[in-house]
Amino acid sequence: QVQLQESGPGLVKPSETLSLTCSVSGASISPYYWNWIRQPPGKGLEWIGYLYYSGNTNYNPSLKSRVTISVDTSKNQFSLRLSSVTSADTAVYFCARRGPSYTDYYIDYWGQGILVTVSS
Amino acid sequence: DIQMTQSPSSLSASVGDRVTLTCRASQYISNSLNWYQQRPGKAPSLLIFSASRLQSGVPSNFSGSGSGTDFTLTISGLRPVDFATYFCQQSYSLPITFGQGTRLEIK
């Protein structure tokens, strides 16, 4: 059974950098696409970006200037860094795996989510 | 970005009812449409991919249809566990985008 678990600080100060890690168990990081998706309280879902196990990345243009997703294959983990955060970045952050389809981009496994609040 | 619009934003129904949720894309997306269920405090869970293909383990009372720009999710024989929020997601082009959700409530 594939399991994903987010970890990191639940409170970040404005203008600082949000850093989260996703630990994957029950599956290897390769050869999948690994995603970060967020959901502000009471709102919809926003895709932040993906990382392919080889290290290739693709980010949402709305966040691209502030986002870095990286991988540590030795630990079967991947990470998110979001710089210069504001209150608008307060959200539940999910790590998630893209399903194995070559033709469709759907999310088949999600972490439980971690609430990150941006506040001084 | 492709905008996804779901309707209605909320819906009240009774156990045993059949309901249809709608998702419309701002441009052509072929059949690149996925549906998720999200219960309060939980992560979303995949129901349908490629517009009409049922994810393994999902009950057969869920079905999806549509192509192009207009899509529907139908839930027949509503069970108590089906009352949740439902999101559509397009995968035709990056960035992938989600609808704002339809909240299905017990009448």
Side-chain angles (χ1 to χ4, degrees):
Chain A
Q1 177 72 358
V2 179
Q3 293 185 320
L4 293 80
Q5 178 69 57
E6 304 89 350
S7 60
L11 181 64
V12 181
K13 289 182 168 57
S15 80
E16 295 189 345
T17 296
L18 178 160
S19 295
L20 297 174
T21 296
C22 182
S23 299
V24 180
S25 60
S28 173
I29 285 282
S30 63
Y32 293 98
Y33 290 81
W34 301 93
N35 298 261
W36 287 97
I37 295 167
R38 70 181 183 178
Q39 184 173 35
K43 296 188 177 180
L45 298 157
E46 180 181 32
W47 178 74
I48 298 170
Y50 76 63
L51 171 140
Y52 190 49
Y53 77 100
S54 61
N56 291 343
T57 55
N58 193 297
Y59 303 134
N60 192 320
S62 68
L63 299 167
K64 186 174 183 178
S65 63
R66 300 192 291 131
V67 172
T68 303
I69 301 176
S70 59
V71 65
D72 187 336
T73 53
S74 67
K75 294 182 178 179
N76 227 38
Q77 294 177 337
F78 63 104
S79 299
L80 169 71
R81 287 173 58 86
L82 181 66
S83 64
S84 305
V85 297
T86 70
S87 58
D89 295 310
T90 293
V92 175
Y93 286 76
F94 296 100
C95 59
R97 191 187 82 169
R98 175 184 174 179
S101 170
Y102 288 106
T103 57
D104 204 349
Y105 197 128
Y106 55 83
I107 304 297
D108 63 351
Y109 287 99
W110 299 71
Q112 65 183 26
I114 182 170
L115 174 63
V116 179
T117 301
V118 178
S119 176
S120 55
Chain B
D1 299 3
I2 298 175
Q3 306 301 315
M4 306 302 294
T5 303
Q6 291 185 243
S7 60
S9 57
S10 65
L11 176 62
S12 293
S14 301
V15 172
D17 283 355
R18 179 175 183 266
V19 296
T20 298
L21 285 57
T22 297
C23 179
R24 175 166 289 175
S26 61
Q27 64 185 73
Y28 173 84
I29 61 168
S30 185
N31 68 335
S32 300
L33 191 284
N34 310 309
W35 289 97
Y36 301 86
Q37 177 193 69
Q38 186 177 34
R39 297 192 176 103
K42 301 295 185 182
S45 176
L46 179 67
L47 297 172
I48 302 280
F49 63 96
S50 300
S52 60
R53 299 181 65 181
L54 199 66
Q55 170 70 345
S56 176
V58 174
S60 59
N61 64 313
F62 289 92
S63 63
S65 65
S67 67
T69 60
D70 294 317
F71 302 85
T72 59
L73 174 70
T74 298
I75 314 171
S76 57
L78 278 171
R79 307 165 302 156
V81 294
D82 297 332
F83 292 92
T85 299
Y86 293 86
F87 293 96
C88 62
Q89 172 243 319
Q90 67 81 20
S91 59
Y92 187 76
S93 66
L94 294 176
I96 62 171
T97 49
F98 296 84
Q100 82 283 10
T102 292
R103 183 177 177 184
L104 179 57
E105 301 173 320
I106 298 178
K107 185 181 290 183

